[in-house]
Amino acid sequence: MSEQANRALHGLQHMFDSLECNISTKIRLFDTLVRPILLYGSEIWGIGNVSDIDKIQMCFYKRILGVRTQTPNYAVLGELGEMPLSCICKVKLVKYWLRVISDKSALCYKVYNTQRNLVVHGKGQDTWAFKVKRILDDLGFSQMWLLEEQIFTCKEIEQRIKDQFIQTWHAGIHSSGKLDLYCRYKKEFAFEKYLVSLKTAKLANMLTRLRCTAHSLRIEEGRYSQVPRDQRICELCNLNVIENEYHFLLVCPFYRPIRQIHLPKYYNSWPTINKFISLMSSSSSSVLAKLGNYVYLAHNKRQTTLQDRM
């Protein structure tokens, strides 16, 4: 199955190389051409071996966003507002279970009921019925499994699975040291407007990399060279402070000429963390355009200067 999905992914990549597609279109193509292959038969195998399909999904998302493989998964999913396929598997499994219990004269139900009786007596932990029970228990719907009644609609069950994941996502971005600033401006699990509003893919890619800590600032690069956090100092100014996203965007005097031209006037004086959060969480198309241009130009200036010093 993974082999077939990888072939479909290679076909998609070939299409993207020859056609100009925005992020939304790429995700729709993935959902149409690749996701059905990955989820084939998931009503039966359900929540087993889901890590493999989540890895393929994440690999695709990181590729279309242009970020490196070490980029936190929660940041990638948050930028796209996309649920992991393992959650979709749960939805499909529960929906299929509802179909099975709807006809107690069918052979499928009789097989299921045999498994269910084993589970009731503390056995059958490798059965499909046990998988169903575990999902419903985790969702707080244990009563449905006990009574074999559709107490909640499919839409309510699907929403509960989504809500549960979003809670996990919030906890994940708040507990990650890499995302200590990200969690302050990323408040909603939703597709980010800048991914389609910025004029070119290179601008969107550069902003994505800054937001998702997939950049080359000292705060991030120092992780891989084992530099203590308090020693990841900006090399382009004499402020002797850590070079993080906030410093790069609003503080560092090295980028002041670019900042004065490309960022709104409000962000050009008296930098504060609240201004940083306001700028990074903006949904204004004009502000996003200015932010994208600033990040792209400032990054290029940084790279050129550091390379010249080597």
Side-chain angles (χ1 to χ4, degrees):
M1 181 173 64
S2 294
E3 208 173 304
Q4 290 177 313
N6 280 322
R7 282 202 297 269
L9 277 175
H10 287 311
L12 269 185
Q13 191 58 49
H14 180 71
M15 183 189 303
F16 298 157
D17 291 340
S18 57
L19 294 174
E20 188 71 28
C21 302
N22 63 32
I23 295 288
S24 295
T25 301
K26 290 178 179 180
I27 292 174
R28 284 198 298 271
L29 286 169
F30 176 86
D31 289 346
T32 303
L33 301 175
V34 181
R35 192 170 85 170
I37 298 173
L38 292 172
L39 297 184
Y40 182 76
S42 60
E43 297 90 343
I44 304 301
W45 51 261
I47 56 176
N49 301 319
V50 291
S51 61
D52 288 341
I53 64 172
D54 280 347
K55 285 178 183 177
I56 293 174
Q57 179 191 30
M58 288 308 307
C59 180
F60 174 76
Y61 286 168
K62 290 177 181 181
R63 188 181 302 168
I64 64 174
L65 287 175
V67 298
R68 53 191 172 199
T69 55
Q70 299 94 331
T71 305
N73 291 347
Y74 282 133
V76 171
L77 292 171
E79 293 300 278
L80 298 175
E82 290 289 328
M83 304 282 289
L85 291 181
S86 52
C87 290
I88 311 299
C89 286
K90 292 180 182 180
V91 173
K92 289 170 67 68
L93 188 146
V94 173
K95 285 183 176 180
Y96 184 68
W97 172 73
L98 291 171
R99 287 174 55 193
V100 169
I101 65 172
S102 67
D103 184 2
K104 292 182 171 51
S105 63
L107 179 60
C108 283
Y109 177 80
K110 293 175 182 177
V111 173
Y112 161 74
N113 197 46
T114 300
Q115 294 182 358
R116 185 179 185 278
N117 289 332
L118 289 173
V119 175
V120 168
H121 291 90
K123 302 176 182 179
Q125 295 189 357
D126 59 344
T127 63
W128 183 77
F130 183 79
K131 291 179 183 178
V132 175
K133 181 180 185 302
R134 193 167 72 178
I135 291 175
L136 293 175
D137 286 346
D138 289 344
L139 295 173
F141 293 154
S142 301
Q143 193 176 13
M144 282 183 66
W145 192 84
L146 292 170
L147 299 178
E148 291 189 343
E149 293 180 7
Q150 188 172 344
I151 301 172
F152 301 95
T153 65
C154 290
K155 189 173 181 179
E156 289 172 324
I157 294 169
E158 190 169 349
Q159 187 62 47
R160 178 69 64 88
I161 291 172
K162 183 176 181 179
D163 291 343
Q164 192 179 70
F165 171 75
I166 292 175
Q167 288 178 357
T168 302
W169 173 79
H170 274 293
I173 65 173
H174 280 84
S175 63
S176 171
K178 293 184 70 170
L179 301 176
D180 57 339
L181 287 177
Y182 181 81
C183 68
R184 301 186 69 170
Y185 55 77
K186 181 64 177 179
K187 298 300 183 182
E188 295 184 8
F189 183 80
F191 184 86
E192 288 295 329
K193 181 179 178 179
Y194 76 87
L195 291 169
V196 291
S197 69
L198 293 182
K199 290 183 179 179
T200 63
K202 65 182 180 182
L203 296 182
N205 169 247
M206 200 61 68
L207 184 51
T208 299
R209 289 169 60 187
L210 181 71
R211 288 172 59 90
C212 296
T213 70
H215 48 66
S216 58
L217 300 180
R218 292 282 291 160
I219 186 64
E220 183 61 19
E221 289 299 306
R223 299 180 198 276
Y224 304 106
S225 53
Q226 305 300 311
V227 177
R229 183 183 177 89
D230 61 355
Q231 295 178 26
R232 301 171 194 171
I233 305 300
C234 179
E235 300 173 320
L236 297 173
C237 69
N238 58 5
L239 296 181
N240 198 35
V241 296
I242 296 172
E243 186 188 33
N244 60 11
E245 299 89 344
Y246 168 59
H247 177 77
F248 170 79
L249 200 59
L250 296 183
V251 178
C252 187
F254 179 74
Y255 309 108
R256 185 176 293 123
I258 302 176
R259 194 177 293 122
Q260 290 175 339
I261 295 173
H262 292 283
L263 289 187
K265 188 176 180 180
Y266 171 71
Y267 300 104
N268 276 297
S269 60
W270 300 103
T272 66
I273 194 66
N274 286 333
K275 285 186 178 181
F276 170 77
I277 294 170
S278 169
L279 181 57
M280 293 293 275
S281 59
S282 176
S283 59
S284 165
S285 296
S286 61
V287 172
L288 289 173
K290 293 175 182 178
L291 176 60
N293 282 320
Y294 170 82
V295 172
Y296 180 77
L297 294 171
H299 172 268
N300 286 348
K301 183 179 181 181
R302 179 182 185 275
Q303 293 300 97
T304 301
T305 303
L306 292 177
Q307 287 172 5
D308 289 344
R309 290 183 181 183
M310 293 177 65

